[in-house]
Amino acid sequence: MMVRYELLGALGLLFLGARGQSDNLGLSDGYITLSTANFNAKIVKDAQVLASLTPAGSTFDFLPFDKISVRANNGQYHWGDITFRYRQQGATTWIDGNSATARKPITAVTTGALAASNLAPTLTTSPLNITREWINVSGDLGLRFTIANTGASTIELGSLGFPAEFNSIFTNRAAADIQSLCSLSDPYVGMHAGYIRANPISGTGAALVVTPLNGTDTPFEAYRNLAEQSFSSTGYGSQTFEGFYEWQVLTKAWAEKEWAGVTPWNQASSRTLAPGQSMQFGLRFSIAKGGVRDLDATVSGTGTPVAVGVPGYIIPRGSPAQLFLQSSSSVSSMSSDPSGALTIKEVSTGSYTVTPSSSAWGRVRLTVNYANGKTQTIHYHVTKASTDTLSNLGTFLTTKQWFNDTTDPFGRANSVMTYDYEVGAIVTQDPRVWVAGLSDEGGTGAYLAAMMKQSIQPNADEVAKLEMFVDKVLWGTIQTSDFAVRKSIFYYDKSALPSYPYKTTFDWGSWTSWNKASAYAIDRAYNYVHVTAAYWSMYRVARAYPSLVKSHTWDWYLLQAYNTIIRAMKNDVGYNRDGLMGETVFGEILTDLTREGKTTEASALSTAMKSRAAQWDSEAVPYGSEMAWDSTGQEGVYYWSKYFGYTNTMTKTVNSVLGYMPTVPHWGWNGNARRYWDNIYGGKLQRIERQIHHYGSGLNSLVLLSAFRSNTSDWYMLQVGYGGTSGPLSNINQDGFAAASFHSWPNTLKWDGYSGDYGPGFLGMALGSGTYVAQHKTFGLLAYGGTVTSSAGVSSVTVTTQGPVRRKVFIGPLNVLLTTDAGVIDGFSYASDGSSISVILNQLSGGPSASSVVLWIETTSGSAKYTVSSPTVTQSRQGWAIPLSSSPVTVQLKRA
């Protein structure tokens, strides 16, 4: 992400512009108030679209009622609008219908509903007669449409959508107002089990869920982005206003045209209406009074099936996952697409194991058919085995993405650079100079991922190349001799390089095409994190596998990391009082400085971080950024608030993350932290669009996983957090290329062509992932990143580890965190009463061998302490040094 204020100023004309606005809704004629046991609502009298929706007894409005006067134009969508496409049976051309295109006052009718209208006046003439009703559904609010074919021919309805509007407009709002007024929504495109969930952006208070209305056949087939004209008052389709989407029930007409060649989330369908026939469709609005943690129970309370997957919906080949289904109707059949990609085994009523085949890879849809006729789709992404995925990534980064042209005048030779997978080439030029300039997130994503990969799965050949990168590019070119970090080492400057063949097909006239002086500026604190993490990764490799590292000693790398952080905190560096993406690694460095006995450096670093944490604790919204609203500062704010004991800011930050990071039965949205503008800065396909598993997923998962380790009773944080930490695995394709993010618009549904800013998300995964054991009040003992063996009455639990990081184990029932600096933890077992723990350590399969491993034991809550009882070990770096050989080593721990 780059200097976003500049983007809003320089590119604002693309999104904003002062254009005239009108009152096509008829606001001057007033509103109709609707009340149910659970809601107070207002609909516009002339249009009968929803203008305000507040929970009973609350003033919080899920809709932008305070912006209704600037959202009254034709073409601006609201709940209660309808879009559709139809054709006479046998015809080939689809005809569009849209209640928002040319509004006219509707015709009110009496049906016994809270309010009802015939939409004929606001629709173009067609054989379809549409009646809309707002109804009371057991205290909830319902929206029901009756569509009747009044013509003489059979009609095929090929598209049907219900626009969804929430108060996600940040434009012209102060940060505190965004927190108090706005809400965010996320979809689950799960057919009859689908829903849209919404919650206050603060993550606190009641949440809202929209489900299919019982008595109608209203599956959630697709989630389509809606095009609207953009006005300066709201900035539709900009960084401050992502835009709106619609719940699509039918999508065949779109699949045949705009989405041709794209594999949709669900199979596209249509319906036919014979002359005189009618159909009903509808949605139900319900309040989750307990907030986001209460959403599943609220969905279930509407009669909608609920699915919960453990460890989520991104799962490796051959490893069994768990699936729990809750429905009032029994399951009649289950199948996967592609066929045979998943093997489903029922363990007990409502409980299943889901095991991908050895050849499965990529998107897999599991379809569950219920006896009552409802269909649910659960969306998985299958990866290779995690160790294979990381191996492929490391190879691709250090071969295909390895740039070694020593004639390069920018000094980039011997580095891991941004890659364009669609053309199969390194990106050596881009008008956004940082993308090709090995700085900013968009340019460091490749080398940062390559470096962090070594910290969890080192490879000798890769380490050798990365040492070369450090000596020839990082230290001295990206970074100056006083530890400052440049914003880009590629630039557009014909006066400095008159003979360089800049591509003439590019537009070099934008603010993004910095000259040499601007590119060499050292004033962006975010860039210092990437360099720091690179040094820290090499420190960890040199400490655990000293024979792999040739150029420098471990302490050189550790002190390089330390000095880079200290330099970032100087007054000539901007944004250093904000939370920085990936700065959890600062905490790792402080821990390692302390363990290594470097007390002077540790004290200085602690002092610098405490100054920031104290400032954040004094701020109402301490999540500053380069943007008007962002989901990047929370990680750093949480880490240091927890470290220094600022509990109020800790709680507020966890809630903030939960406000933009959902859990749903879909790999793309489960644990997907809200990002929608960064393809402008680091992607190939540049547009404002909800990004799937951009780096926010991995980074924000650090907050939730850390919070769970301190409060194991809050399983919801683990479910969301582990979904986020798994996200970066899905970005890695079968060749090992890691894309910046996945494009969620239904006309695309593919990974971006650029590697871009992938790296920070991988950093989050490397620092946060592991094997987590949790006790769930309904589902029992669960393992995330492992397989648990236990049964009622058994006095011990055994777990086999899986996943990308097999050096971290958290035993939730005991509040014990185990980490190592080398090798892997193959598995562990523990006594249910917490009296003992057994850990199996081993060498990394296919990797370098370590002569010993340091095991750290931490109790995250309570007063229990554990020590190593066997084998005989020595203390080292505040842990236990355990010799390793070619055979597994079992370490016994006992409670002191």
Side-chain angles (χ1 to χ4, degrees), residues 594-721:
T594 303
R595 289 170 175 170
E596 299 288 4
K598 297 186 180 297
T599 55
T600 300
E601 291 84 357
S603 177
L605 182 52
S606 177
T607 298
M609 297 302 106
K610 187 169 185 178
S611 170
R612 300 164 75 222
Q615 174 186 315
W616 296 330
D617 196 53
S618 70
E619 296 172 342
V621 187
Y623 314 119
S625 157
E626 296 164 303
M627 288 304 226
W629 176 86
D630 214 334
S631 56
T632 55
Q634 285 81 350
E635 173 221 339
V637 169
Y638 178 82
Y639 186 93
W640 295 114
S641 296
K642 182 176 183 179
Y643 188 89
F644 294 112
Y646 294 115
T647 55
N648 289 339
T649 301
M650 286 170 53
T651 300
K652 179 167 60 179
T653 304
V654 169
N655 289 333
S656 176
V657 173
L658 292 176
Y660 55 73
M661 201 166 177
T663 176
V664 298
H666 191 302
W667 69 269
W669 276 273
N670 188 58
N672 184 40
R674 197 177 198 88
R675 314 288 302 163
Y676 54 87
W677 59 86
D678 274 307
N679 281 331
I680 301 291
Y681 301 96
K684 183 176 182 180
L685 177 56
Q686 301 173 46
R687 64 190 186 194
I688 298 292
E689 168 192 23
R690 183 74 58 84
Q691 296 168 277
I692 285 179
H693 293 312
H694 185 251
Y695 64 66
S697 298
L699 291 179
N700 283 283
S701 70
L702 290 167
V703 175
L704 300 182
L705 293 174
S706 176
F708 173 75
R709 294 195 296 268
S710 297
N711 180 11
T712 57
S713 66
D714 196 342
W715 164 84
Y716 185 85
M717 293 192 296
L718 176 60
Q719 180 70 6
V720 180

